[in-house]
């Protein structure tokens, strides 16, 4: 009996140890984080949009990647209609009492449409939604649906991290 134990200890134990090491090592190797490709934009990427309410105003923030900050042209309208690059007129998906349209130049959306909904609803006192409209010639366009009184809005850029902020005052 003792001889059988010695044989098992000499052959089976190392084999079991090797098998266990293989089983433990395999999941660890596959659990390593996969490298993700860095988003590449010609100038700067618009990576996302978020919004929050504050005392007296709602704030919409467009998160940007690295690069030179774009110029932002914002116009206010009482109509949800906007012109597409093909010349077609479309309406924003979320209805409200007024609208802001923001064009960023030069900028790109990169993988924005893959990582963000085209229409992002918000249940804030003034901001009801932000919609990605299109991108043409390194100029992405967004529509912001507003509801209720808007006294004014203020647009500015911040760095570290890069972002464009639109404060909409009630």
């Amino acid at each position: 009996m003792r001889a059988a134990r010695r044989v098992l200890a000499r052959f089976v134990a190392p084999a079991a140890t090797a098998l266990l090491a293989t089983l433990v090592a395999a999941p660890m190797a596959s659990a390593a984080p996969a490298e993700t490709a860095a988003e590449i934009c010609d100038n700067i990427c618009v990576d996302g949009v978020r919004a929050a309410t504050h005392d007296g105003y709602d704030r919409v923030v467009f998160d940007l990647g690295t690069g030179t900050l774009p110029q932002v042209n914002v116009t206010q309208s009482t109509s949800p209609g906007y012109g597409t690059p093909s010349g077609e007129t479309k309406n924003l998906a979320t209805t409200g009492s007024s609208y802001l349209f923001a064009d960023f130049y030069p900028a790109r959306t990169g993988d924005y449409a893959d990582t963000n909904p085209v229409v992002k609803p918000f249940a804030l006192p003034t901001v009801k939604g932000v919609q990605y409209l299109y991108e043409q010639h390194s100029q992405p366009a967004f529509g912001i649906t507003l509801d209720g009184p808007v006294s004014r809005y203020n647009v500015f850029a911040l760095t570290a991290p890069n972002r464009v902020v639109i404060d909409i005052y009630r």
Side-chain angles (χ1 to χ4, degrees):
M1 186 79 157
R2 244 183 187 174
R5 282 187 188 165
R6 280 190 208 134
V7 169
L8 282 174
R10 287 178 96 193
F11 296 108
V12 175
T17 302
L19 178 62
L20 183 60
T22 303
L23 291 173
V24 170
M28 289 176 62
S30 66
E35 288 188 32
T36 57
E39 183 180 36
I40 299 172
C41 292
D42 297 341
N43 300 294
I44 194 167
C45 294
V46 178
D47 291 329
V49 63
R50 53 196 163 94
T53 190
H54 300 276
D55 190 26
Y57 67 97
D58 287 351
R59 173 170 282 178
V60 176
V61 178
F62 291 91
D63 294 310
L64 307 173
T66 58
T68 304
L69 291 173
Q71 294 178 20
V72 182
N73 180 39
V74 177
T75 56
Q76 189 170 8
S77 176
T78 57
S79 168
Y82 64 94
T84 66
S86 67
E88 182 182 5
T89 299
K90 291 187 174 184
N91 287 331
L92 292 176
T94 307
T95 59
S97 59
S98 65
Y99 307 87
L100 294 178
F101 293 94
D103 296 326
F104 295 73
Y105 182 80
R108 299 300 299 261
T109 52
D111 62 2
Y112 180 91
D114 297 333
T115 58
N116 294 276
V118 172
V119 178
K120 192 165 189 177
F122 294 103
L124 304 178
T126 303
V127 175
K128 298 305 172 195
V130 177
Q131 181 173 335
Y132 168 62
L133 305 178
Y134 58 82
E135 179 181 327
Q136 183 181 32
H137 306 299
S138 296
Q139 187 170 337
F142 294 85
I144 303 170
T145 300
L146 309 173
D147 204 13
V150 175
S151 63
R152 64 185 173 92
Y153 62 90
N154 186 29
V155 181
F156 56 97
L158 297 171
T159 59
N162 292 335
R163 56 210 183 275
V164 168
V165 178
I166 304 174
D167 287 342
I168 301 132
Y169 294 89
R170 304 186 272 284

